[in-house]
Amino acid sequence: MIQIENLTRVFYTEDMKTTALSDVSLQILEKEFVAIMGPSGCGKSTLLNTLGLIDRFTEGIYYFGNLNMQNLSPAQRTEFRRDNIGFIFQNFNLTDELNVFENIELPLRYQHRDKLFRKEAVERVLERMGIAHRRRHKVSQLSGGQQQRVAVARALVTNPRLILADEPTGNLDSKNGDEVMDMLEQLNEDGTTIVMVTHSIANSQRAHRIINLFDGKIVS
Ligand code: ADP
Ligand code: MG
């Protein structure tokens, strides 16, 4: 599904050049569940953001299916991301001003789905995540575990082909973390490709394969 070749990402700040990714090549197959591990600062988030078309890269080749991502205009990249990729972050990244239903509905609004379509899709994932009874709650009224369920629901409401998760259990206690991992595992069994950054060896063992990064390079 994904093929990356010799990808490099360099950040320039005022007086410093940081090579966050250096000559990274990898393939991700349809329906794979891949974990990315490595010490802080080794480039895990940069790799995930690059895969997710949030960040641009300096050199290299990125194919998603048959599409060369470099050939897309900024607007096409945004559209491609919206229709194919779901994100889950360590700090949930939910919108405090919106309630649970509205947070999950947001990606469907970006897709210009009509109201009935949105309602049915949101209700489906609310049920699936076991948070239907919270649909009118403000997200600030929820526990961390519940907020991450909302974030998972928001990531999958558009039925993306790829879910990218950056330390999705990093802010959760072990019970809630395990529940989020169970959800990701189930999603993957249902056919969604998942790439997840984690510091947890136990969580990484849920994946089919572990990519170890060090200093911006894949070491194993
Ligand atoms: P990880 O997620 O593994 O902790 P990151 O991908 O966040 O690592 O960062 C990799 C390296 O790139 C670090 O040295 C970090 O300081 C640097 N970096 C990341 N984002 C930026 C940025 N926007 N500007 C400058 N340097 C950055
Ligand atoms: Mg990171």
Side-chain angles (χ1 to χ4, degrees):
M1 178 163 88
I2 283 173
Q3 175 125 17
I4 276 180
E5 276 171 39
N6 307 109
L7 194 112
T8 295
R9 174 58 158 122
V10 180
F11 290 106
Y12 292 95
T13 47
E14 276 178 23
D15 50 356
M16 239 194 10
K17 174 184 169 184
T18 307
T19 304
L21 295 174
S22 172
D23 217 16
V24 168
S25 298
L26 66 92
Q27 278 190 23
I28 293 162
L29 304 178
E30 206 88 47
K31 300 185 199 275
E32 251 196 314
F33 185 173
V34 177
I36 299 175
M37 298 192 83
S40 180
C42 73
K44 303 180 298 295
S45 294
T46 304
L47 179 56
L48 213 67
N49 293 342
T50 303
L51 286 171
L53 302 171
I54 287 181
D55 194 7
R56 304 207 68 124
F57 46 97
T58 314
E59 277 176 65
I61 299 172
Y62 176 10
Y63 271 90
F64 194 120
N66 296 325
L67 275 182
N68 184 341
M69 291 294 123
Q70 268 151 311
N71 293 342
L72 301 185
S73 68
Q76 288 172 321
R77 286 164 65 89
T78 303
E79 191 176 330
F80 188 86
R81 181 173 63 230
R82 189 191 71 193
D83 293 341
N84 293 282
I85 302 172
F87 277 93
I88 302 164
F89 300 94
Q90 176 172 0
N91 59 2
F92 322 133
N93 277 22
L94 299 168
T95 304
D96 287 336
E97 293 73 35
L98 302 179
N99 67 28
V100 167
F101 185 101
E102 293 160 341
N103 265 279
I104 300 170
E105 186 187 28
L106 211 49
L108 299 170
R109 286 186 177 274
Y110 293 139
Q111 285 184 330
H112 311 293
R113 300 290 190 183
D114 67 40
K115 190 169 178 188
L116 181 63
F117 184 100
R118 297 199 305 266
K119 182 169 173 22
E120 288 178 355
V122 173
E123 290 297 340
R124 213 161 30 237
V125 291
L126 279 168
E127 291 293 337
R128 186 166 176 192
M129 292 295 114
I131 47 175
H133 57 301
R134 307 276 183 204
R135 57 165 77 69
R136 299 293 162 208
H137 286 230
K138 292 282 176 202
V139 292
S140 57
Q141 298 170 321
L142 304 180
S143 70
Q146 289 166 338
Q147 290 190 40
Q148 196 61 309
R149 273 167 216 249
V150 176
V152 173
R154 181 187 56 183
L156 63 89
V157 74
T158 55
N159 256 324
R161 293 169 66 190
L162 175 66
I163 287 198
L164 300 173
D166 198 348
E167 302 190 43
T169 66
N171 282 354
L172 302 179
D173 59 43
S174 62
K175 179 173 173 287
N176 280 299
D178 285 345
E179 284 177 17
V180 166
M181 286 307 304
D182 290 344
M183 287 172 192
L184 292 179
E185 215 166 29
Q186 187 60 51
L187 277 178
N188 176 249
E189 279 166 22
D190 295 344
T192 308
T193 308
I194 298 180
V195 180
M196 169 187 74
V197 169
T198 183
H199 282 296
S200 153
I201 299 207
N203 289 352
S204 73
Q205 283 164 350
R206 306 251 203 154
H208 306 149
R209 180 157 69 97
I210 301 173
I211 294 174
N212 284 294
L213 278 182
F214 189 79
D215 269 354
K217 288 180 186 297
I218 293 181
V219 288
S220 65

